[in-house]
Every structure is written in C-alpha cells, then in structure tokens.
Amino acid sequence: MKVLLSWLREFAPFEGDPVELGDQMSDLGMAVESIDHVGGGLDGVVVARVLALRPHPDAERIQLVDVDAGDGEATQICCGAFNMAEGDLVPLATLGTTMANGMTIERRKLRGEWSNGMLCSARELAMGDDHEGIWVLPGDLALGTPLAEAIGVTPDVLYDLEINPNRPDAMSVAGVARDLAARLRLPFELPTPKPRRAGADAPWGAGRPPTVEISAPELCGRFHVRVLEDVVVGSSPAWMAHRLRCAGMRPINSVVDVSNYVMLELGQPNHTYDLDLVSGPGLRVRWANDGERITTLDDAERTLDGADGVIADAEDRAIGIAGVMGGASTEISASTQRVLLEMAWWDPMTIARSSRRLGLRSEASMRFERGCDPEVVERAAERFAELLATSGATLLAGSLDARGELPDRQPVRVRTARVNRLLGTDLDAGAVAAELTPIGFTCASAGADLDVVVPSYRYDTRTETDVVEEVARHLSYSSLPSRRPASPQTGSLTDRQRDRRRLRAVVAGLGLAEAMPSPLLSPEQLERCGAPTDAMVLTNPMAAEESVLRTSLRPGLLAAVAHNAAHRNPGVRLFEVGTVFLPTDGVLPDEPEHLGVALAGDEAPAAVAVLDVVLESFGIEGWDLHNEPTPGLHPTRSARILLPAGAGPTEAGWVGEIDPAVVEALGIDERVAWLELDLAAVLARPAGPAHYRTVSRFPSSDVDLAFVVSDDVSAMALRRTLVAAGGDLVAWVRLFDTYRGAGIEDGHRSLAYRVRLQAADRTLTDAEVAEVSAAMVAAAGSHHQARQRG
Amino acid sequence: MNAEDVDRAASEAVASVRAADDLESLAAVEAALGAKSAPLNAAKRSLGALEPDQRKELGRRLNEARAEVATAVETRRSELAAAARAELLEAERLDLTESPGGRAGHLHLVTQARDELEDVFVGMGFTVAEGPEVETDWYNFEALNLPPAHPARGMWDTLYLDSGEPGTVLLRTHTSPVQIRVMSESEPPIYSVMPGRVYRRDTADASHTPVFHQIEGLVVDRGISFADLAGTLEAFTTTYFGRSIHSRLRPSYFPFTEPSAEFDITCVFCGGDGCRSCGGTGWLELGGCGMVHPNVFAAVGYDPEEWTGFAFGFGIDRMTAQRNGVDDLRELFTNDIRFLEQF
Ligand SMILES: [Zn+2]
C-alpha cells in the first residue's frame, strides 16, 4: 500500500528523517518497499490559461499556444502536444525553471518562433505517470499562482508498504498512522468530519418509507446507508486527485474519487448508487440465487451462485454483488443528483471466495477479505459527505442501519507468564499493557494477567497468541532477547542419508556430473523413452510439457544429454539420484528413489562397470544380470538387474544401452550407455560392520579355465557356477578373454576365466588344485553344457 | 716370467678392462682374464718353479697385479652400469605437461548447498527429516492451520494431481508437511531440519522455477521461546555465512506460526554498507520463521501448554544462486555440462 507522509501527518505529528520513519514502519511489519520523493521540482511552475491555439507556420508537430500566466498578457509558447483547448488551465514552467529531470527552461526559438516557457505533462512534473499530453488542471485556479500552492502539493514522501494479511488496520492511511504513532509515542487522533447537513429529512425522500434489511446475517455484519443530495458530478480538486494518483488510483470523477479517498484513508470500502435509479423504497441483503444474473459496473454479465451475496432492490433484483462490484443499472453518471451511499461489513471468507471465483479482485475486495472495521462506517459516511461538500453536496440527517453477525469481541485473557514464555521476556502485566494500549487494545487487570478487548479494526486478532504477537511487534523484534537452545540429542544423519551421500560421491568419483532435471514431464516424453506411461497426472499444469510426474529418470537425463549434444558437447557423463512417482491403489504414489546414469558416447559395458563399482562400494555381492529386452533400451544390449535378497533375487532396475531408435528420436548422434537402479535395496542395508576375512599368508595357485558355451549362457552365470563349485578355496574368478570365430561353433563363444585358489591355513598341493579345477569343469558342464576348451 | 713381465701383463689386463664399452664386452674380458691361458694365471702356475726368495717376491707382485685388475673390473662395471641406466632413463624421458588430464565428477550445486546446510544443523544437534513430494491437502495445508478456503492459501500457487477427491492430492508447495509427519510420528523434543524438493504453479523466469528446493527447521521442546528462534538463526547465520554476517527478524505473517517473522541476513556482498544486491538496505531477505501456531500443535495432538516450538524455512536454490553469482535460477536445472562442471 502506498501512503504519503503528508497524509499520515493529518493523524499524528510525525517529524524527523523520512527514512528513519520508514525504518520504524518496516520494524513494525509494514515493510517499506520503496521511498519516493514527490511533489518537488514545482518551483517556477505556475497556473496559466490557454488563450489561443495557432498552427506553427513552419512545423506540423508543434503548435503555438498563447497563455495568460496571470499578468493579463499573452505569452507565446511552442508546444508539441495538442490535447488542450482554449480556456483550459495548464501548468506553465516559466523561464529559468529547473525541471525534475534537471533541464532548465530558457527562451528559445523553434523553427523561427519564440517559446517563452514550457507547458508540462503530469509526468514532467513528477506528479504521476500521465504523459499523454499536457496536464489539464482541474477546478478553478487563480492564474499565475505557483502550481504547488494552487493544487495543494508540497514536497512529499511516498512510502510503498507491504502489508501482511493479518493487518487489516494497516490497509488505511489512518491505520498506518495509528501504529506508527504508538511506536513513537506520539498522540494519534482521527479528526471529526464536518459535512454540510440538510435538515432531518428521511433519507429515502418523501413518501418512500425507508428500509434496509439483512436477510443473510452471516453474510453481512453491518449495512449502513446515507443519502446525499445536490450532488454535482464533476472533477475532484487537484490535491485529492494528486493523492489518489500517488496511491496508485486514477482520478475519475468527484463521487468515485471521494469513495476511493475514504477507502484509502479509513480503510472502509463503500459503494455509491444513483438513488433515482434504485427501484423501490428499500434495500435487502441476501444470498444470490443459483444462476442469478447481474450486469456489473464493467458492463459484464455475471452469473452468481448461492455462495455469493447480493444487494437487492425493492423488486428483489440484484443491484450489486456484495463486497465485489456494483451493478450497472444504478451507476453514478454525469446527471446524478442524489447519491445513496452504502457502507457495509461483509463476511471476509465470502468476499474472498466471490472475488476469486468471479475474477474481480479489487482494492475494496482486498480490504473486505482481511476484515474491515464494522464501527468505522458512520465516520466514513460523514467523511465522505465532508469531502463531497466542496462540490455542494449535502448529507441528509437520517441514516439506515442494520446489523447481522459480527465478530465476537469478548475480552481475551492474556497471561503474562504465557507472554514471557513465548517471547523469552520478563515483562509484568503493566509492561504488556503499555505496548497494547497505544494501538487501541483495552487492557483490564486480572490478577497478574490482563483481560484485553481487541479494537474493532483488528478482525485478525482473536486469541491470546494473536495478542502476544502484537506485544512482540511493538516491543520490536530486534529488541527481544536471543539465546541458543541446547539440543538434548546428538545431531546426525540417518543411515540412508549417509549412504545416499556416499553413493553420490562414488558415482561422481567415476567422473560423472550430477544433473537435476525436473520431475514434471509430458506424457509423450515418457512414451518416447519407453518409461512406464501409467503416471500421476496434474490437473492444473502450467503447460503440457509439465503435466505428468516422471516414472523413470530416463526422460530427464536423456533430455539433458540431448541438450548438451545440441550445444556441441557430446560425450557427457551424467547421473541423478532422485525419486520417481509410481501410481498405487491409494491416493498417494510410491516414491522410490533411483540412481540414473547416462554415459553419452559409451556402450553398454561402461554402464555395467558403473553398476559394478556402485554395488561393490555398498558391499553387495552375488548380484546378477538377466539379458532381456525392455522398452526404450537396446533390445540386445539390455539386462535386468537382480540383487540378492532373503526371498530370492529382487528386480532392481535395468542396465545397458538406450535403444538406437530412441537416441535418434532425441536428436543424439552417439550411443548412450544407461543404468537405472532402484536404491531401495542399496541404501541403508542392515549390514553392520563388514566382517574381516583372513588374508592368507600361504602361496596361491592360479588356474586358467576356458569353456565353449552357448550364447544363451551369461558369462556371469557361468562365473557364479565356477565360484560355487570351487568352494572355500576360491579367492576370485575373473573373466579374462572372450573369443568367437574359427574353431567355435555358431551361437557359441569361448569364455576364459582365471581362477585363483588359496587356503588360509596351508599351501595347496597340486592334487588339491587339480581336484578343485575338475569340480569346476564338471559343474560348468552339467549346469551350462559348457565344454572345456583345450 | 719376471716382475717386469707381470707388470706388463697387469697393464695389458687393466687396459682391456677399460676398453670394454658395455657390460657384455666387460663380461667377455673378465672371462678371458679368468682363462688358464691368461698371462697372470699362467704366471701364478709357474711360481712353483722359482727359487724361494724369487717366488716370494714375484708372488707378492702377482697378488698386487691381480688385485689391480679386479679393482679395474669393478670400477668399469659401475661406470658401465651407470651409463646403461642413464641411457635407459633418457630413452624414457616424458613431458608430463602432455598429460590429457582426468575428468573429475561433480555434485550438483544444489546438492552441495543442501549437504553443507544439513551439516551446519547436524553440528547444532539437529537430525534431518524427509518426506514425500506428493502430499495430501491435510499435510500440506490443513494441519498447518490452513483450512479449506483459507484466504492465505493464495500465498501458494498449488499444482494438483488427478488422484482421490479433486483438490485433495497435490505436489507439496513447501517442506512443511514433513514437519507435520515428524510431529505425528514422534514425541517431543524435536530438533530437525527438513530439506527437499517443492513445487509451485509458477512460470519460470530468472528468479522463479516451478520446481525448487527448500530447507525448513523445527524445534519443539519445553520452554522454547522466540529468543531461542532468534538465537538459533543467528548461530546458523554466523556458522554458515561467516562471523561478520548476522541475522535480524521483522514481523510477518504465516498461518502456521505466531508470532511470525521474516529473517534477513547481513548483505554478503557489501557487509551491510548497502549495495545494489541489497537495494541499499545492507540486508538480504532469506526466509520466514515464527513460533509454531497452537492450531498446528492441535492438529498433531501436542498440548500447546506443555510444548512450545519454532519453525523456519528458506529457499536453497535462491540462496546458493545468489552466493555463487548465478543470475538466472533456470540455469540450475538446464543440466548444461558447461554449468555443471563449474561447481
Ligand atoms: Zn549489499
């Protein structure tokens, strides 16, 4: 919210450095977003009248303007704007004036014609953003008067404040002034309005018995109506227009402007009807009927439902949507003479819902949503009449007033001990009351505690904790004590968190870079990469490209590979540790954590090597790969990962190479080795400390065994058979050669393993080595039809 | 053979040893000198035919000569070995600056920041808690004192999922639901931080991404006050950012805390003097915090008269981007190798 310092000063005598005042507002929770100096730079600018407009003889884009700057003489000005007419009042920067932008006005010739000054737009005078032509001044101002004096503008300070939702009071100039005055211990006063009054006529006029009725008390807490007569709809005085402009509102006409001005000043939104267009002698507040239609002030037809409130006329036609927008049928026009003024208190939740549903969020709805002050309506109505009195409007004496349900204002018990416990302070009840009383909270002593009546302008404040926050705020957060609590526990990561960090370190240690793609994808991306398409679907995505949750890390990492390839960076080695989202029978998906690895420019064995290192790092032995095709991976170069588990091997992901068709579809022109591993069985295994196996001091014997086996038999399976057959004497078995070709039948290859045998307690005899070797050969033959090769 | 003959034979032997130009020819020379026919060997054999006094004299001379030759052989052997080693080493000479270099791996900048933040809080006696990214409305909003239709829900633009009743399953908008899960599943005291990925329905621009990372903290214990909150944040700030960086609190509003505060830190760029990064204020906004609202305790079944607590939270991405001079948050998630390899 934007507030002028001069406006704040109408309620309390604020002095001193504007920046320091701003710091105090920030410290009170009304954060100053910016401080602007406005209304300066008007020295030398005076009010002038346009006497005549003549074309420049030599230039089409300039006209000659004769103005009277109060001396009765015609002064010629060259002007590039064409928006004014003879008789208009305009700001004239006289010779010698220094403008806000630093330019000095001098007498000069433009295409042979003298210009004796400059006519100004509002923006050139730092009086707003309007630069569509010369600023045509409103009202009847004395010629030659300094502009600042004529429009009541003095150098001023404009604060832009960020107001939190729990500060309905600070949505008004008066409310900000009250809070700031309390902090500075300055007197705060709301001046009593002095409207022009007209007798004791019934507000609805003769012969029309007045009524207002609230038939939805939960919707409307207060409905207050006054009538003004002798209204002349014209333009507002310049000072008011200036303040509205500074507050970010556009001046429209005297009635609308006063309405906005009162809202800004006192925080009370209000609505005006042309009384002569309102049917019947009364108004009724009720819930809308489902499907009820109304044309609002913006000439749009709106369809309402039973959770919107309306103001209905005597014929029960809706003439306004409660707290959101008035109807077009009773709109104020240039011919309006009698104004019906509505000041109401609406249920905040209703207004929040209605304004959002109808897409009509306004300065008024924002205030109603936070909860207005139901007791300010009389003052606001009188202030409205006072401000409109300058144009001759009179306020009829009577008012119509109805009340519905209003917030409970029972005293709140505030325990001094609780205040101290929450704030870490050592206050007594008197000190607590000293912070609350200046902002209008009434404190009555209740033993060591207080009974606090919350003022009507603090809809947000209802509980003891709410009041404690006010105490803290006014004491200043920065002056509250500070201490560090002693945690009774030892800080630590869980096993899973530690393992996850180790996993990242292991993979990064292989030279891979960690990527972090978005889990939000398009369904096509899942399909293109062969990831499961049964995914969690967003109901309100920002874009189709972000409309489902990933079921695999593959689409994201491949997109990253493609991005890098497109930027002439082939060969990237990327990994990710992250969750995927798999739908379940329940409402929430499973969120297993996966490791994804993409090695651009590498073939499948490189991914297996990464898997091997990862599993060895986590002490996982006896894992297996099952060569089999799966969507998205190379059909003859992919394998399912099987990890050992109590009840048999667990499927834990896939390793291999991305399908060449997928790679091509993504615009990548190199092979991509791929690994995706479900980490459930890897992280936080209940392993305990690894158990030491004696390092033998006795000599070892190496045996080389080569077998011819069918291509159906995996090298890993054959190796595992050798290990099992060798028993305790096997130190390790390593595949050291693979051969296809001459001497080997089709569909077969030769696999050569080196076997190291060693005993912990003795040197093996040749007989023992031969015996173990024979057992291995026999097992290979019986399990895999493997024939030993020469 | 007389003494002169011995001297000459010795000189010739030494000369042949010195003439050997590699270890192989030295070995051949040695073999020749060891042969029976070699003059010195022959001389030794002929000693027996001499008179005793002559024999003694010539014997002594012969021994000296053989020692001279042996010394010459050893000297020559060392010389030739040294030369052979020098030649080999020269042949192996390498310009080590020709190394192609290795390829270091990299942890993502956000991971590094998250780990570092976790470590600071672990050092202060906190544990690290995690929870699901897809949440129910109850955990993400309702239990946090944000009942349905609460106006403040507009503070979070939420992405909903087609699951269960419409509008009940969503992508968590903050890591606060983890606080609810921790409190629902355990008893105080609680000293935990909750890092993780969160989602907002937001158009990506230089300072927003729809997917980003947060870390929150929760402390619930007997006698926890606003002073403990201020002290914890100050301790964190000076530990993480350095001794000259401090924290301050300003009143704010969050439905799940009261009193609520924004917390700022001393501008890390100007040290508080005011600069462009901090808009001249000397402070950078970091996050939000406050005392846990009694309604939140009610939602998880804690007695707010027995327990009090505080919570805080801030964005990891924005903080680390600012620290590392990344001026567009989208860079964090483009996964361009030229970005990833910088950290
Ligand atoms: Zn700075």
Side-chain angles (χ1 to χ4, degrees), chain A residues 564-737:
Chain A
N564 283 294
H567 290 81
R568 309 211 316 128
N569 284 310
V572 293
R573 297 157 64 78
L574 302 176
F575 79 100
E576 181 185 8
V577 176
T579 45
V580 300
F581 303 85
L582 307 177
T584 62
D585 291 339
V587 295
L588 295 184
D590 274 342
E591 296 188 18
E593 204 167 1
H594 284 189
L595 165 69
V597 169
L599 306 171
D602 264 321
E603 300 190 29
V608 179
V610 173
L611 175 68
D612 194 28
V613 168
V614 165
L615 295 179
E616 182 175 345
S617 298
F618 284 87
I620 297 175
E621 293 173 342
W623 53 279
D624 197 7
L625 298 180
H626 269 198
N627 294 313
E628 59 180 281
T630 185
L633 293 192
H634 193 302
T636 57
R637 290 184 167 198
S638 59
R640 190 192 287 282
I641 302 164
L642 296 170
L643 298 186
T650 314
E651 296 177 358
W654 294 88
V655 65
E657 223 173 281
I658 301 296
D659 190 321
V662 173
V663 169
E664 191 188 344
L666 292 169
I668 303 168
D669 59 6
E670 57 189 335
R671 290 176 175 275
V672 181
W674 175 255
L675 163 66
E676 183 160 5
L677 178 64
D678 187 336
L679 296 174
V682 177
L683 302 183
R685 282 158 59 85
H691 196 76
Y692 169 69
R693 278 174 303 203
T694 308
V695 175
S696 175
R697 290 180 288 109
F698 296 91
S700 59
S701 307
D702 288 357
V703 181
D704 288 352
L705 298 173
F707 300 94
V708 175
V709 284
S710 160
D711 286 341
D712 299 340
V713 177
S714 84
M716 190 175 265
L718 178 50
R719 178 186 169 276
R720 199 169 33 254
T721 299
L722 299 178
V723 170
D728 290 346
L729 296 180
V730 174
W732 48 252
V733 176
R734 288 175 192 156
L735 179 69
F736 71 89
D737 188 43

Side-chain angles (χ1 to χ4, degrees), chain A residues 437-682:
Chain A
T437 309
I439 48 172
F441 288 62
T442 310
C443 300
S445 186
D449 301 328
L450 295 171
D451 279 333
V452 174
V453 179
V454 176
S456 57
Y457 45 80
R458 291 306 297 269
Y459 174 74
D460 62 292
T461 306
R462 288 169 224 207
T463 65
E464 184 183 43
T465 319
D466 294 337
V467 176
V468 172
E469 183 172 53
E470 290 304 294
V471 174
R473 210 167 57 77
H474 270 274
L475 281 169
S476 174
Y477 281 15
S478 54
S479 70
L480 292 172
S482 171
R483 65 169 195 138
R484 207 176 127 190
S487 168
Q489 71 194 10
T490 307
S492 63
L493 297 178
T494 62
D495 290 348
R496 186 183 181 83
Q497 289 158 354
R498 254 197 306 265
D499 279 357
R500 190 196 288 130
R501 284 195 184 187
R502 197 153 61 82
L503 173 72
R504 281 192 166 105
V506 164
V507 179
L510 295 172
L512 278 67
E514 187 185 12
M516 219 172 254
S518 170
L520 301 175
L521 301 171
S522 71
E524 294 73 26
Q525 256 177 303
L526 288 177
E527 202 173 341
R528 195 182 305 136
C529 297
T533 51
D534 179 19
M536 299 294 287
V537 178
L538 275 66
T539 57
N540 61 337
M542 288 295 286
E545 292 73 39
E546 301 173 354
S547 62
V548 299
L549 287 174
R550 63 184 178 193
T551 54
S552 158
L553 300 182
R554 208 184 299 153
L557 280 176
L558 289 184
V561 169
H563 166 89
N564 283 294
H567 290 81
R568 309 211 316 128
N569 284 310
V572 293
R573 297 157 64 78
L574 302 176
F575 79 100
E576 181 185 8
V577 176
T579 45
V580 300
F581 303 85
L582 307 177
T584 62
D585 291 339
V587 295
L588 295 184
D590 274 342
E591 296 188 18
E593 204 167 1
H594 284 189
L595 165 69
V597 169
L599 306 171
D602 264 321
E603 300 190 29
V608 179
V610 173
L611 175 68
D612 194 28
V613 168
V614 165
L615 295 179
E616 182 175 345
S617 298
F618 284 87
I620 297 175
E621 293 173 342
W623 53 279
D624 197 7
L625 298 180
H626 269 198
N627 294 313
E628 59 180 281
T630 185
L633 293 192
H634 193 302
T636 57
R637 290 184 167 198
S638 59
R640 190 192 287 282
I641 302 164
L642 296 170
L643 298 186
T650 314
E651 296 177 358
W654 294 88
V655 65
E657 223 173 281
I658 301 296
D659 190 321
V662 173
V663 169
E664 191 188 344
L666 292 169
I668 303 168
D669 59 6
E670 57 189 335
R671 290 176 175 275
V672 181
W674 175 255
L675 163 66
E676 183 160 5
L677 178 64
D678 187 336
L679 296 174
V682 177

Side-chain angles (χ1 to χ4, degrees), chain A residues 415 421-422 466 469 477 483 487 489 497 500-501 508 512 514 516 537 539-540 550 563-564 587 591, chain B residues 106 108 111 118-119 125 128 133-134 158 160 162-163 191 201 226 228 258 260 305 335-337:
Chain A
R415 293 165 295 168
R421 210 176 137 203
L422 281 173
D466 294 337
E469 183 172 53
Y477 281 15
R483 65 169 195 138
S487 168
Q489 71 194 10
Q497 289 158 354
R500 190 196 288 130
R501 284 195 184 187
L512 278 67
E514 187 185 12
M516 219 172 254
V537 178
T539 57
N540 61 337
R550 63 184 178 193
H563 166 89
N564 283 294
V587 295
E591 296 188 18
Chain B
H106 297 267
H108 195 277
T111 298
E118 287 175 358
D119 290 346
V128 178
E133 295 174 26
V134 176
T158 310
Y160 289 94
D162 184 10
S163 180
Y191 292 75
R201 193 174 189 281
F226 200 79
D228 297 301
E258 190 166 38
S260 297
E305 290 297 319
N335 302 309
D336 194 303
I337 194 72

Side-chain angles (χ1 to χ4, degrees), chain B residues 30-269:
Chain B
E30 261 190 291
L33 292 175
K36 281 183 184 168
S37 58
L40 290 177
N41 296 341
K44 181 159 187 178
R45 276 198 308 279
S46 64
L47 280 181
L50 297 182
E51 291 301 311
D53 57 333
Q54 274 187 324
R55 186 167 62 209
K56 188 177 175 192
E57 171 57 26
L58 197 62
R60 187 185 53 81
R61 184 68 199 104
L62 253 181
N63 282 343
E64 282 174 7
R66 288 162 64 94
E68 272 169 43
V69 172
T71 304
V73 167
E74 284 319 306
T75 303
R76 189 60 186 155
R77 195 194 310 284
S78 324
E79 282 169 9
L80 289 174
R85 173 178 151 80
E87 188 182 348
L88 182 69
L89 293 185
E90 189 52 45
E92 290 182 345
R93 181 178 293 279
L94 280 187
D95 173 7
L96 297 189
T97 65
E98 288 171 10
S99 161
R103 195 162 181 184
H106 297 267
L107 294 185
H108 195 277
L109 183 57
V110 171
T111 298
Q112 295 184 39
R114 174 179 160 165
D115 288 355
E116 210 181 326
L117 290 166
E118 287 175 358
D119 290 346
V120 170
F121 285 107
V122 164
M124 290 166 66
F126 285 63
T127 56
V128 178
E130 295 169 293
E133 295 174 26
V134 176
E135 269 293 7
T136 61
D137 183 88
W138 192 82
Y139 281 106
N140 195 75
F141 287 129
E142 201 163 344
L144 289 159
N145 195 29
L146 277 153
H150 193 292
R153 282 194 175 201
M155 292 162 75
W156 298 270
D157 292 314
T158 310
L159 288 164
Y160 289 94
L161 291 162
D162 184 10
S163 180
E165 291 294 308
T168 58
V169 178
L170 45 81
L171 284 161
R172 65 181 181 190
T173 56
H174 40 202
T175 50
S176 311
V178 185
Q179 297 190 21
I180 301 299
R181 287 181 179 274
V182 168
M183 287 191 279
S184 301
E185 289 157 18
S186 54
E187 290 296 314
I190 291 169
Y191 292 75
S192 281
V193 288
M194 298 82 183
R197 174 149 43 201
V198 301
Y199 300 77
R200 301 270 170 91
R201 193 174 189 281
D202 224 341
T203 309
D205 61 29
S207 54
H208 297 86
T209 53
V211 182
F212 59 104
H213 301 82
Q214 273 190 340
I215 186 165
E216 297 190 359
L218 173 70
V219 168
V220 182
D221 205 343
R222 289 192 173 83
I224 290 293
S225 74
F226 200 79
D228 297 301
L229 167 60
T232 299
L233 291 177
E234 177 68 13
F236 159 71
T237 303
T238 52
T239 309
Y240 185 78
F241 293 99
R243 285 176 172 278
S244 60
I245 305 298
H246 298 281
S247 60
R248 74 166 182 189
L249 301 179
R250 287 182 291 116
S252 189
Y253 171 77
F254 305 104
F256 28 81
T257 50
E258 190 166 38
S260 297
E262 300 274 350
F263 74 98
D264 301 338
I265 59 164
T266 314
C267 176
V268 294
F269 302 103

Side-chain angles (χ1 to χ4, degrees), chain A residues 358-381:
Chain A
L358 296 167
L360 286 172
R361 307 206 63 200
S362 63
E363 291 283 331
S365 71
M366 263 165 52
R367 286 172 171 78
F368 284 130
E369 270 180 52
R370 293 174 192 229
C372 288
D373 177 3
E375 304 308 330
V376 82
V377 297
E378 287 96 338
R379 174 186 296 279

Side-chain angles (χ1 to χ4, degrees), chain B residues 266-284:
Chain B
T266 314
C267 176
V268 294
F269 302 103
C270 62
D273 296 337
C275 69
R276 251 180 53 186
S277 297
C278 59
T281 61
W283 295 94
L284 295 175

